[in-house]
Short mmCIF file of all heavy atoms in Angstrom, two decimals:
data_model
loop_
_atom_site.label_atom_id
_atom_site.label_comp_id
_atom_site.label_asym_id
_atom_site.label_seq_id
_atom_site.Cartn_x
_atom_site.Cartn_y
_atom_site.Cartn_z
N PRO A 4 163.00 146.64 127.26
CA PRO A 4 161.90 147.43 126.58
C PRO A 4 162.16 147.78 125.18
O PRO A 4 163.27 148.08 124.82
CB PRO A 4 161.86 148.68 127.43
CG PRO A 4 163.18 148.76 128.01
CD PRO A 4 163.66 147.30 128.22
N GLY A 16 146.10 172.65 120.42
CA GLY A 16 145.75 173.97 120.82
C GLY A 16 145.68 174.06 122.38
O GLY A 16 146.69 173.67 123.10
N GLU A 75 158.50 159.43 108.74
CA GLU A 75 159.20 158.49 107.71
C GLU A 75 160.32 157.77 108.28
O GLU A 75 160.50 156.58 108.12
CB GLU A 75 159.52 159.27 106.52
CG GLU A 75 160.14 158.42 105.43
CD GLU A 75 160.32 159.20 104.06
OE1 GLU A 75 159.98 160.38 103.97
OE2 GLU A 75 160.98 158.68 103.20
N GLN A 90 141.86 152.81 106.72
CA GLN A 90 142.57 153.70 105.87
C GLN A 90 143.25 152.91 104.71
O GLN A 90 144.44 153.14 104.43
CB GLN A 90 143.55 154.62 106.59
CG GLN A 90 142.94 155.47 107.70
CD GLN A 90 143.75 156.45 108.27
OE1 GLN A 90 144.78 156.84 107.85
NE2 GLN A 90 143.34 156.88 109.53
N GLY A 93 141.24 152.05 98.68
CA GLY A 93 139.98 151.38 98.20
C GLY A 93 140.02 151.02 96.67
O GLY A 93 139.62 149.97 96.23
N ASN A 117 157.64 138.34 103.33
CA ASN A 117 156.61 139.03 104.10
C ASN A 117 155.24 138.77 103.48
O ASN A 117 154.20 138.66 104.27
CB ASN A 117 156.93 140.58 104.15
CG ASN A 117 158.16 140.92 104.95
OD1 ASN A 117 158.77 139.99 105.60
ND2 ASN A 117 158.67 142.19 104.72
N TYR A 124 148.92 134.09 107.65
CA TYR A 124 147.98 134.64 108.78
C TYR A 124 146.47 134.90 108.24
O TYR A 124 145.55 134.58 108.90
CB TYR A 124 148.42 135.95 109.37
CG TYR A 124 149.71 135.78 110.29
CD1 TYR A 124 150.73 136.65 110.15
CD2 TYR A 124 149.68 134.77 111.22
CE1 TYR A 124 151.82 136.52 111.13
CE2 TYR A 124 150.73 134.63 112.06
CZ TYR A 124 151.81 135.64 111.92
OH TYR A 124 152.89 135.48 112.78
N ASP A 163 145.52 150.02 116.31
CA ASP A 163 144.37 150.96 116.81
C ASP A 163 143.09 150.43 116.53
O ASP A 163 142.56 150.52 115.42
CB ASP A 163 144.65 152.20 116.17
CG ASP A 163 144.02 153.47 116.96
OD1 ASP A 163 143.31 153.09 117.90
OD2 ASP A 163 144.08 154.65 116.58
N LEU A 167 136.95 147.23 115.91
CA LEU A 167 135.87 148.27 115.87
C LEU A 167 134.92 147.86 114.80
O LEU A 167 135.41 147.74 113.55
CB LEU A 167 136.53 149.68 115.69
CG LEU A 167 135.61 150.85 115.82
CD1 LEU A 167 135.07 150.93 117.28
CD2 LEU A 167 136.28 152.12 115.47
N ASN A 197 137.64 147.15 123.59
CA ASN A 197 137.14 145.71 123.93
C ASN A 197 138.11 145.14 124.90
O ASN A 197 138.99 144.33 124.54
CB ASN A 197 137.07 144.85 122.62
CG ASN A 197 136.34 143.49 122.88
OD1 ASN A 197 136.35 142.94 124.04
ND2 ASN A 197 135.79 142.95 121.86
N TYR A 209 147.48 148.89 130.29
CA TYR A 209 147.33 150.28 130.91
C TYR A 209 145.90 150.70 130.64
O TYR A 209 145.40 150.40 129.55
CB TYR A 209 148.27 151.33 130.32
CG TYR A 209 149.77 151.02 130.58
CD1 TYR A 209 150.44 150.12 129.76
CD2 TYR A 209 150.48 151.61 131.58
CE1 TYR A 209 151.82 149.86 129.94
CE2 TYR A 209 151.74 151.37 131.81
CZ TYR A 209 152.48 150.49 130.98
OH TYR A 209 153.85 150.27 131.15
#
Side-chain angles (χ1 to χ4, degrees):
E75 186 175 347
Q90 298 182 27
N117 294 351
Y124 286 136
D163 195 357
L167 190 65
N197 189 332
Y209 296 84

